[in-house]
Amino acid sequence: MSQDRARGAAPQLPSGPDDVAVLVAKLRDVGGDRLFSQDARELSDQFAYVAGAHPEWFAPFREEVVVTELLDGFGPSFADQCVLLHGASDRCVDHLTAQLRRRSEFGDQWALAAIGTPAALDAVAWHVRNGGDREFYEECGVWVPPTGPAQYRFTPHRRAVFLHQGATATELAGATHPVGLPVDAVVRDPDRTPISWHYLTLRLAEVPGMPDWPVEQVHLISPRHWWDWSLTARFDEHGRYHSERVVAPEQPAEYDEDDGDLDALLPDDERDALGWVDLRPYDGDLVYCNGYIDLTPGVVGTAGGPPVSIYANPNCDSCGRLMFHVVSVEHRVRDYGDGRRSLFICEDCQLVTCNATSWN
């Protein structure tokens, strides 16, 4: 389970730019075969804290990290690198492009995409059109259209999703981001829908940088499947889903129907599964571990930012464009199935896709 990611004592967190300089110097000791060592993981957690709480502390070190061997030991998640490396100089872009002309390394690709400047996005597009791995960038939420620069299909603004459980029906009805709405409140045709569970509803305007959207809310929902499914839907003027299409593989051979009955997950008292979430900017009070903040008490995921970056993300059924990431949460936001749940939109075709992935 996700909680098993935390082991051992937490590393000392940096308290200013001088501490960040010490962390940068330590990158020399964790490159190559040591990139996945305990020291490297602790260092990445410390950089994640800097990205979430004080990204300005890292700004003076961007170029030093990118254009030297220090990048080999730089292991924060792609989402954290998007904060730490954002706006790095064209010298950094030129260096990474030259590296990619010789060989494709995931660290160089992540760094180039994370910089996010016009020059960097032009370079990502060049790389893909000259043999670079398109799927690698799409897993990060970066789309390369037939012409022009690469595009971020996510907002760089991240919000921690905090869960509050035990709502009354009145509290649920008045919540900005409710958890546990009746299915018939979020679908147009309850008798025909494959949707069986509501995780949460979000108001897109609450997350800076989201695309324009014709209705106020989007819903993260589930069909009757444990994991590895996707559901795409259109919506009416009230935001209720219709024309749903589910893609789900057969359950793996080791799956035990007797032990995995989704109906057994339904609460004895429906109120136990009701609540709401609120969205808060990243800050120094969150627990940063292994690229996530889910060990923070009450946190179940992140709205905004790039997707998880290790799974394939959905392309629009209609136009083929990579869909825009809205939110990713753990299933425990309202226990049903297992793993992570994400929501994506295509603002041009007005389609919504929800999907489920296993733990990484």
Side-chain angles (χ1 to χ4, degrees), residues 101-120:
R101 288 181 186 275
R102 290 191 289 271
R103 82 285 190 268
S104 291
E105 294 286 347
F106 85 89
D108 296 332
Q109 295 174 87
W110 264 19
L112 184 62
I115 290 172
T117 60

Side-chain angles (χ1 to χ4, degrees), residues 159 176-177 202-208 210 216 279 303:
R159 294 293 183 265
T176 302
H177 308 293
L202 288 182
R203 291 185 181 177
L204 289 182
E206 298 287 321
V207 184
M210 287 291 171
E216 185 177 37
L279 310 181

